[in-house]
Amino acid sequence: QSALTQPASVSGSPGQSITISCTGTSGDIGAYNYLSWYQQHPGKAPKLMIYEVTNRPSGVSDRFSGSKSANTASLTISGLQPDDEAAYYCSSYTGVTTLFGGGTKLTVL
Amino acid sequence: QVQLVQSGAEVKKPGSSVKVSCRASGDTFKYHVITWVRQAPGQGLEWMGGIIPVLGTPNYGQKFQGRVTITADEFTDTAYMELSTLRSEDTAVYYCARESRHAVGASDIWGQGTMVTVSS
């Protein structure tokens, strides 16, 4: 199974909104709503930001939101803040295995 | 507050094996899926496999089938990942993570990572 496809980088200015896409197939993203997003700062472990496409764990800012259409999921971050600068990874559970996207580096200008 | 504490950094020769441990403190993890994810330097996350300790049957990523063994001891709340026939491309940080019981396929607790360096 191939990794999910994410843009290598996105950027935005403080206060703006950005969206990161994650494209899979009808066998993974398209088949299941078990789509998660992780934030990873350099040298740190990943942090769960979104689970099951749209849900935020307790403590995660409501500036982070998720959605899905067919085989593509999206993470939107509104009101960008400097600390949002990090790598973001999507992940799709396929019933037996888990696929990760290649990661997107978010730069806050 | 549950934490996952992993074993320390390892330096291994090509062709050898490495075994990394992951111990839960603050809560039992035997009913959770425990997954192993690795990250090569400057690269993305790669799912290796997972196990539910109370059941004991692991699932492995296709890429690692035949080379990885994931086990767990429900009585000591410790999971293990052993990777054999190491090569330089296996140099990476290896993470264990606990999937939430309320969020399928989503890991809400991560270990601190274990750096494994494969070098002759």
Side-chain angles (χ1 to χ4, degrees):
Chain A
Q1 287 172 302
S2 301
L4 307 174
T5 301
Q6 298 181 233
S9 63
V10 297
S11 62
S13 300
Q16 288 186 331
S17 295
I18 63 94
T19 297
I20 298 172
S21 63
C22 172
T23 301
T25 69
S26 58
D28 39 68
I29 293 180
Y32 302 91
N33 285 325
Y34 302 136
L35 194 289
S36 306
W37 289 94
Y38 297 89
Q39 175 193 67
Q40 187 182 34
H41 286 108
K44 301 293 187 182
K47 175 186 176 183
L48 180 65
M49 306 301 284
I50 296 287
Y51 66 92
E52 293 174 0
V53 181
T54 61
N55 299 307
R56 282 186 307 276
S58 174
V60 172
S61 170
D62 60 4
R63 297 186 298 105
F64 292 82
S65 62
S67 63
K68 190 186 87 166
S69 176
N71 301 336
T72 298
S74 298
L75 172 71
T76 298
I77 308 173
S78 60
L80 274 178
Q81 297 181 359
D83 190 53
D84 296 334
E85 183 162 299
Y88 291 85
Y89 294 90
C90 60
S91 169
S92 177
Y93 174 67
T94 65
V96 177
T97 64
T98 295
L99 294 175
F100 279 102
T104 299
K105 171 74 172 111
L106 168 62
T107 301
V108 180
L109 303 169
Chain B
Q1 178 76 353
V2 62
Q3 283 187 305
L4 298 179
V5 181
Q6 298 183 222
S7 49
E10 302 262 13
V11 179
K12 293 292 184 180
K13 299 286 189 190
S16 66
S17 298
V18 67
K19 190 170 186 176
V20 181
S21 68
C22 169
R23 180 179 57 82
S25 66
D27 190 17
T28 181
F29 70 6
K30 65 181 179 181
Y31 300 110
H32 294 262
V33 177
I34 304 299
T35 67
W36 288 89
V37 174
R38 78 176 186 180
Q39 186 171 37
Q43 303 300 308
L45 303 174
E46 191 170 29
W47 185 81
M48 300 181 71
I51 190 170
I52 301 176
V54 71
L55 298 180
T57 304
N59 285 321
Y60 299 129
Q62 197 169 18
K63 176 177 178 178
F64 301 98
Q65 286 275 3
R67 253 196 344 130
V68 69
T69 303
I70 293 173
T71 56
D73 184 336
E74 62 175 292
F75 302 105
T76 62
D77 285 323
T78 304
Y80 301 90
M81 185 285 301
E82 183 171 21
L83 188 63
S84 62
T85 320
L86 290 169
R87 31 203 189 236
S88 58
E89 310 90 88
D90 294 318
T91 294
V93 176
Y94 290 77
Y95 292 102
C96 64
R98 188 196 78 170
E99 287 192 3
S100 170
R101 294 183 68 185
H102 308 290
V104 177
S107 295
D108 59 349
I109 306 291
W110 291 70
Q112 82 275 21
T114 296
M115 182 69 213
V116 175
T117 302
V118 182
S119 174
S120 54

